[in-house]
């Protein structure tokens, strides 16, 4: 923070123009770095108060206000205490409590707290690292306030005696830097460096001791660090002068290093220390002890003072600590001693199963969702190390899903194909995480998914042909037969509506003789039938589900649709177009509707000339064609009305199926008979002459071939003397015998 304040003061002296350029360059550099690494780094000192400002994470990650909502962004720190929180209003990252670097990272040179920022809607993941810098918040301390040394009076000048080692959990200059000894004419202080580079102090005898002259010497040992201000700690050294002990004990090794795997049973022997002393008698009696231990080492191990055997008294866990360092001491009966360092390295075993966590989940998707649709975001972690921490995630191979690794240990659950609700309505996808240890450990979780229905199945009748018999002179409203249809879709998509398609019976529409219940499919007689007049009624019934019905007479003949096209960019861009559909029964209506359709408001001015020119050209062409068509077909009009709709020869020239007017296009549906309109409670019907119940275009080709534009609309002409009632099911949704123009933009 001090460096940040210094930069702010310097920037205050710069002109506004230079400041703006510097800020722009700074943010450009930040964006480039983020794009390359997908990770943001911050640095804060330890021991800051709760709510300390860390950084503007929204600005550094380039997030907008929508992504800062409580649902849109969140912080995930698996397996760690949540030390940081995000202010969703301004995007500031701040601390949630006081942070002690020594408690979190111990003696690690670099202490970094890492977590992930997850954007829920888009499932983007960003890594964030906050480095906790050390401050001089600890003074050097000694394990004991008093150190007692027994020194023989015949100890040679220059002999050295190890002293208590001070502890300072800070790092660098803030940690232990040296020792000072109070003034003494008999002893001086010398600093030594251990095998691992640590400094420790030894007391050096400067002149011979005399037990009779002075039995006890009192000294003060001071340990100091290099912080600002300097912190220090002291301990008292009491030296008792003894007689006749010429040799100090010596360890067999200056450094003991052993390995022990985690999970060993209590009481297991880790190592046996060994020391020798050349003295005789009580001066040769050796006692082993722990001089200094780091952390919880004293709670994990026990040292037999007589044999030097180190045994396990507490369980070892590699995930808690990877090694233990202990200072051991041996002292003879005369008070002379030696020290060595015991380091126990803990080896990892596969004792932790992987942990699975669902960080984002979509509980339902439509069945027409494209492949690679994201279902869930899963995070996996394993507290073990090396191969024991390597994890493989899998799902059953027969399911239409796959796991794709996203970032770090995150996996996306994606679809591999388009799903079908009618085959499987729900899934429970079991995700299994297995590590590479021996034996391997695994964890599973189930991800539920519901498949939403889309109207992708048409209804179908249980029978293709229904035959029923009716006694003549039946009462009006008598039930003739009941039709049944099925739709495998769900809810509204499976609701079926029945309707009778237009047909002729004795030159009158079928709808004037029969009626059908649109909900139940029951067909009723509208009046009494006479066998001598009607022996068979054949008609077609349409079953339609709840989804885009046909046009009815009550519907507006001009329909406007607005089509919106939108991308997924940031920000999203879109374009729209208005589609106008006009239905007309006659040519004059076509011309009036052409004049009523206006061009879009934002059309360019130079299009007016082309619009007028196109209208004039198309109008002239249309009227010329109309005169020719009428001249060629007027003498055949009565004759052609009685023929089958698809039997017109090449002598008749049909109207063109398409005319264009600027942005408006018209499709002409040419029908072969004169019509008159009637309507019942649900449908519109048109009367056709006896002998034909079809609707097709006139053909320009010989052999009675139909216009391909209406190839799906079949023509069915029947004559004969039927002997029953026959209903033929059909899925056609447009079988009307009229002439209409359909206009498209």
């Amino acid at each position: 923070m001090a460096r940040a304040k210094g930069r702010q003061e310097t920037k205050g002296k710069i002109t506004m123009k230079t400041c703006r350029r510097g800020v722009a360059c700074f943010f450009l550099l930040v964006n480039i770095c983020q794009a390359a690494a997908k990770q943001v780094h911050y640095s804060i000192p330890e021991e800051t108060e709760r709510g300390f400002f860390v950084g503007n994470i929204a600005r550094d990650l380039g997030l907008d206000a929508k992504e800062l909502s409580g649902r849109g962004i969140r912080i995930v720190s698996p397996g760690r205490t949540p030390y940081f929180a995000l202010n969703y209003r301004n995007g500031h990252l701040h601390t949630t409590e006081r942070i002690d670097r020594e408690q979190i990272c111990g003696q690690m040179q670099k202490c970094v707290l890492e977590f992930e920022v997850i954007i829920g809607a888009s499932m983007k993941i960003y890594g964030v690292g906050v480095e906790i810098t050390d401050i001089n918040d600890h003074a050097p301390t000694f394990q004991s306030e008093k150190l007692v040394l027994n020194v023989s009076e015949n100890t040679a000048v220059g002999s050295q005696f190890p002293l208590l080692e001070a502890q300072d959990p800070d790092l660098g200059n803030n940690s232990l830097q040296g020792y000072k000894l109070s003034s003494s004419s008999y002893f001086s202080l010398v600093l030594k460096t251990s095998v691992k580079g640590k400094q420790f102090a030894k007391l050096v005898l400067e002149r011979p001791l005399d037990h009779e002259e002075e039995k006890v010497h009192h000294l003060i040992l001071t340990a100091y660090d290099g912080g600002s201000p300097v912190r220090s700690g002291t301990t008292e050294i009491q030296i008792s002068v003894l007689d006749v002990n010429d040799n100090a004990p010596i360890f067999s090794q200056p450094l003991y290093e052993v390995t022990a795997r985690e999970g060993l049973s209590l009481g297991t022997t880790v190592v046996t220390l060994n020391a020798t002393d050349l003295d005789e008698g009580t001066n040769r009696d050796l006692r082993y002890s722990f001089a200094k231990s780091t952390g919880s080492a004293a709670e994990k191990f026990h040292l037999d003072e007589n044999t030097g055997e180190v045994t396990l008294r507490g369980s070892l866990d590699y995930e808690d600590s990877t090694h233990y360092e202990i200072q051991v001491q041996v002292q003879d009966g005369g008070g002379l001693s030696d020290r060595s360092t015991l380091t126990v390295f803990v080896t990892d075993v596969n004792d932790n199963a992987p942990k699975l966590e669902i960080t984002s989940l979509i509980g339902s998707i439509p069945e027409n969702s494209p492949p690679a649709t994201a279902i869930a975001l899963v995070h996996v972690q394993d507290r073990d190390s090396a191969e024991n921490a390597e994890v493989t995630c899998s799902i059953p191979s027969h399911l239409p899903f796959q796991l794709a690794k996203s970032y770090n240990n995150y996996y996306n659950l994606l679809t591999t194909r388009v799903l079908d609700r009618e085959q499987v309505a729900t899934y429970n996808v079991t995700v299994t995480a297995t590590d590479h240890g021996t034996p391997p450990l695994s964890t599973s979780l189930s991800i539920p998914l519901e498949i939403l229905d889309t109207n992708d199945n048409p209804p179908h009748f249980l029978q293709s042909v229904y035959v029923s018999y009716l006694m003549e002179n039946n009462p009006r409203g008598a039930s003739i037969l009941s039709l049944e249809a099925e739709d495998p879709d769900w809810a509204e998509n499976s609701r079926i509506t029945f309707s009778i398609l237009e047909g002729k019976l004795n030159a009158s529409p079928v709808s004037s003789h029969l009626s059908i219940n649109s909900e139940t499919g029951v067909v009723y007689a509208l009046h009494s039938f006479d066998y001598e007049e009607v022996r068979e009624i054949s008609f077609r019934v349409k079953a339609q589900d709840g989804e885009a019905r046909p046009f009815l007479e009550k519907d507006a003949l001009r329909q406007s649709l607005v089509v919106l096209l939108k991308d997924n960019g940031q920000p999203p861009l879109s374009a729209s177009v208005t589609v106008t559909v006009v239905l007309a029964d006659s040519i004059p209506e076509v011309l009036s509707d052409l004049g009523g359709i206006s061009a879009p408001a934002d059309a360019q001015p130079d299009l007016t000339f082309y619009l007028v020119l196109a209208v004039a050209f198309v109008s002239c062409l249309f009227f010329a064609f109309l005169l020719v068509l009428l001249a060629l077909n007027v003498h055949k009009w009565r004759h052609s009305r009685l023929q089958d709709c698809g039997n017109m020869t090449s002598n008749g020239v049909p109207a063109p199926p398409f005319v264009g007017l600027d942005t408006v296009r018209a499709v002409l549906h040419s029908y072969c008979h004169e019509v008159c309109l009637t309507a019942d409670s649900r449908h519109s019907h048109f009367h056709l002459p006896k002998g034909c119940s079809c609707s097709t275009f006139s053909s320009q080709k010989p052999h009675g071939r139909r216009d391909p534009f209406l190839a799906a609309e079949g023509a069915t002409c029947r004559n004969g003397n039927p002997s029953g009632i026959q209903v033929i099911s059909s899925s056609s949704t447009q079988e009307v015998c009229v002439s209409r123009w359909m206009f498209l933009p």
Side-chain angles (χ1 to χ4, degrees):
M1 291 301 294
R3 293 194 298 270
K5 291 180 180 178
R7 288 195 297 268
Q8 291 177 357
E9 293 176 357
T10 303
K11 290 180 181 178
K13 301 177 182 180
I14 303 176
T15 63
M16 183 62 68
K17 183 176 181 181
T18 305
C19 180
R20 290 176 179 174
R21 291 180 178 175
V23 172
C25 293
F26 172 76
F27 284 114
L28 178 60
L29 179 61
V30 170
N31 291 335
I32 293 175
C33 294
Q34 290 178 351
K38 277 192 176 181
Q39 191 169 20
V40 179
H41 294 274
Y42 299 100
S43 177
I44 62 172
E46 67 172 335
E47 300 297 334
T48 56
E49 294 295 333
R50 181 171 179 250
F52 181 80
F53 173 73
V54 179
N56 191 337
I57 196 169
R59 179 196 63 196
D60 297 338
L61 293 179
L63 305 178
D64 55 19
K66 184 184 297 183
E67 293 175 314
L68 285 178
S69 64
R71 297 182 179 177
I73 184 173
R74 57 195 176 101
I75 292 177
V76 178
S77 53
R80 286 185 177 271
T81 302
Y83 290 104
F84 304 97
L86 180 64
N87 189 324
Y88 297 110
R89 293 177 297 178
N90 52 26
H92 289 180
L93 184 69
H94 56 82
T95 60
T96 58
E97 62 185 56
R98 184 185 294 271
I99 299 177
D100 189 348
R101 189 201 64 80
E102 287 76 22
Q103 181 181 1
I104 297 174
C105 299
Q107 294 295 310
M108 294 177 60
Q109 292 297 321
K110 190 172 184 180
C111 182
V112 179
L113 296 178
E114 296 182 342
F115 55 91
E116 291 82 29
V117 175
I118 299 179
I119 310 301
S122 59
M123 297 188 183
K124 294 180 181 177
I125 306 170
Y126 300 92
V128 179
V130 180
E131 181 179 1
I132 311 301
T133 59
D134 181 60
I135 64 173
N136 191 23
D137 58 338
H138 295 87
T141 58
F142 291 91
Q143 187 176 6
S144 176
E145 296 180 355
K146 186 176 182 180
L147 172 62
V148 178
L149 294 178
N150 296 319
V151 181
S152 177
E153 64 176 351
N154 62 351
T155 301
V157 174
S159 297
Q160 298 182 359
F161 307 94
L163 300 178
L164 289 175
E165 187 173 344
Q167 298 294 312
D168 191 340
D170 294 328
L171 295 177
N173 290 332
N174 296 329
S175 65
L176 180 66
Q177 298 297 312
Y179 298 88
K180 293 188 297 184
L181 186 66
S182 61
S183 177
S184 173
S185 60
Y186 285 91
F187 299 94
S188 64
L189 192 66
V190 64
L191 298 180
K192 298 289 186 180
T193 303
S194 66
V195 178
K196 293 193 174 183
K198 293 184 178 180
Q199 284 190 345
F200 61 93
K202 285 190 175 183
L203 202 62
V204 181
L205 182 62
E206 295 294 335
R207 65 175 184 164
L209 298 174
D210 189 353
H211 177 73
E212 287 72 22
E213 181 180 345
E214 189 174 0
K215 296 181 180 179
V216 179
H217 297 266
H218 295 278
L219 302 174
I220 300 298
L221 179 63
T222 302
Y224 60 91
D225 61 21
S228 178
V230 176
R231 294 176 178 266
S232 62
T234 61
T235 186
E236 180 185 1
I237 302 176
Q238 178 181 312
I239 303 172
S240 298
V241 181
L242 304 178
D243 290 331
V244 193
N245 189 17
D246 300 332
N247 298 283
I250 301 175
F251 276 108
S252 60
Q253 297 177 219
L255 179 66
Y256 289 87
E257 292 185 345
V258 296
T259 59
R261 64 179 179 85
E262 64 176 338
L264 285 176
S265 58
L266 302 184
T268 302
T269 300
V270 178
V271 66
T272 300
L273 306 178
N274 185 31
T276 59
D277 194 330
L278 300 178
D279 292 329
E280 299 291 338
T282 58
N283 293 328
R284 196 176 182 178
D285 294 336
L286 304 181
R287 294 290 183 269
Y288 298 92
S289 62
F290 288 149
K292 181 181 72 69
S293 60
T294 302
S296 60
E299 302 174 0
K300 299 292 184 181
F301 304 96
H302 170 73
L303 175 59
D304 190 302
E305 65 174 5
N306 296 317
T307 63
E309 185 181 38
V310 180
T311 57
L312 192 64
R313 67 187 304 178
S315 59
L316 299 179
D317 191 347
Y318 179 85
E319 287 69 38
D320 291 339
S321 180
T322 59
H323 70 282
Y324 297 90
E325 184 175 289
I326 310 171
Q327 295 291 327
V328 292
Q329 176 178 286
V330 60
Q331 187 174 11
D332 62 16
L336 299 180
S337 63
D338 188 23
R339 289 190 181 182
S340 180
T341 301
L342 170 62
T343 303
V344 180
F345 295 97
V346 182
T347 58
D348 183 51
V349 297
N350 193 27
D351 59 342
N352 291 282
K355 182 180 178 181
L356 284 170
E357 180 182 5
I358 301 177
T359 57
S360 294
L361 175 64
I362 299 177
S364 60
I365 61 172
E367 62 178 328
N368 60 350
S369 298
T373 298
I375 304 301
L377 184 64
V378 181
H379 180 256
V380 60
Q381 61 176 345
D382 195 311
R383 296 184 60 200
D384 293 321
S385 64
E387 292 183 354
N388 298 330
E390 296 179 5
V391 178
T392 300
C393 291
S394 62
I395 60 175
S397 58
H398 66 278
L399 296 179
F401 305 98
Q402 67 175 356
L403 282 174
K405 193 166 186 179
S406 176
Y407 171 82
N408 203 358
N409 290 326
Y410 288 88
Y411 291 83
N412 272 323
L413 180 62
L414 308 174
T415 60
T416 57
R417 58 177 172 82
V418 176
L419 305 179
D420 190 352
R421 189 205 66 83
E422 286 70 42
Q423 294 183 0
V424 181
T426 59
Y427 289 92
N428 279 312
V429 184
T430 301
V431 180
T432 303
T434 306
D435 62 26
H436 295 178
T438 303
L441 301 178
S442 63
T443 302
S444 299
L445 62 80
S446 182
I447 299 178
L449 177 64
E450 179 184 3
I451 309 302
L452 302 180
D453 184 55
T454 59
N455 193 23
D456 56 345
N457 292 281
H460 64 277
F461 286 99
L462 300 184
Q463 302 178 30
S464 60
V465 176
Y466 285 82
V467 178
S468 177
Y469 297 92
L470 177 68
M471 297 294 294
E472 65 175 338
N473 300 323
N474 59 286
R476 295 185 61 183
S479 173
I480 298 178
L481 76 162
S482 178
L483 306 178
E484 294 183 6
E486 293 181 346
D487 193 318
D489 290 323
W490 181 254
E492 187 67 17
N493 296 331
S494 64
R495 185 177 65 84
I496 300 176
T497 302
F498 298 91
S499 60
I500 297 177
L501 299 178
E502 281 304 327
K504 291 292 183 176
L505 178 62
N506 294 335
S508 61
V510 175
S511 59
S512 63
H513 301 281
L514 301 175
S515 177
I516 188 170
N517 188 313
S518 61
E519 300 294 334
T520 63
V522 177
V523 180
Y524 300 93
L526 297 180
H527 57 77
S528 178
F529 292 103
D530 187 354
Y531 176 79
E532 285 70 28
E533 294 181 1
V534 179
R535 296 188 178 184
E536 181 183 81
I537 303 176
S538 297
F539 59 97
R540 307 177 73 188
V541 176
K542 179 179 68 175
Q544 180 175 318
D545 59 21
E547 196 73 15
R549 62 177 175 80
F551 279 100
L552 301 177
E553 285 297 322
K554 64 181 179 179
D555 296 327
L557 297 182
R558 177 182 294 180
Q559 302 288 337
S560 295
L561 307 175
V562 178
V563 180
L564 177 66
L565 184 64
K566 183 178 181 182
D567 60 23
N568 292 324
Q570 292 296 333
L573 301 179
S574 63
S576 62
V577 64
T578 301
V579 180
T580 302
V581 180
V582 178
L583 298 179
D585 292 331
S586 63
I587 294 176
E589 292 182 8
V590 172
L591 297 179
S592 62
D593 286 332
L594 285 177
I597 299 177
S598 60
D602 57 349
Q604 299 180 0
D606 58 349
L607 294 180
T608 304
F609 172 75
Y610 298 104
L611 177 62
V612 174
L613 182 62
V615 171
F617 176 76
V618 172
S619 299
C620 294
L621 182 63
F622 177 76
F623 281 113
F625 168 76
L626 182 61
L627 293 175
V628 175
L629 180 63
L630 292 176
L632 293 177
N633 292 286
V634 67
H635 66 285
K636 295 183 179 180
W637 179 255
R638 290 295 181 182
H639 178 69
S640 61
R641 189 176 60 179
L642 300 178
Q643 292 181 345
D644 183 80
C645 301
N647 293 332
M648 179 176 286
T649 65
S650 59
N651 293 331
V653 181
F658 168 84
V659 292
L661 181 58
D662 192 31
T663 59
V664 180
R665 293 181 294 174
V667 178
L668 177 62
H669 286 217
S670 297
Y671 299 83
C672 59
H673 299 290
E674 294 179 346
V675 299
C676 60
L677 177 66
T678 64
D680 59 7
S681 59
R682 293 184 56 88
H683 303 280
S684 297
H685 305 276
F686 301 90
H687 291 267
L688 299 178
K690 181 177 180 181
C692 181
S693 59
C694 61
S695 59
T696 62
F697 281 121
S698 298
S699 176
Q700 297 183 10
K701 298 181 180 180
H703 308 295
R705 299 177 63 182
R706 294 179 293 172
D707 193 306
F709 184 81
L710 292 180
E713 300 184 3
T716 306
C717 296
R718 297 183 179 87
N719 293 302
N721 199 9
S723 59
I725 298 177
Q726 185 176 29
V727 180
I728 302 176
S729 64
S730 173
S731 61
S732 174
T733 60
Q734 190 175 3
E735 293 197 12
V736 292
C737 297
V738 297
S739 296
R740 288 191 175 186
W741 284 89
M742 177 175 289
F743 289 85
L744 301 175

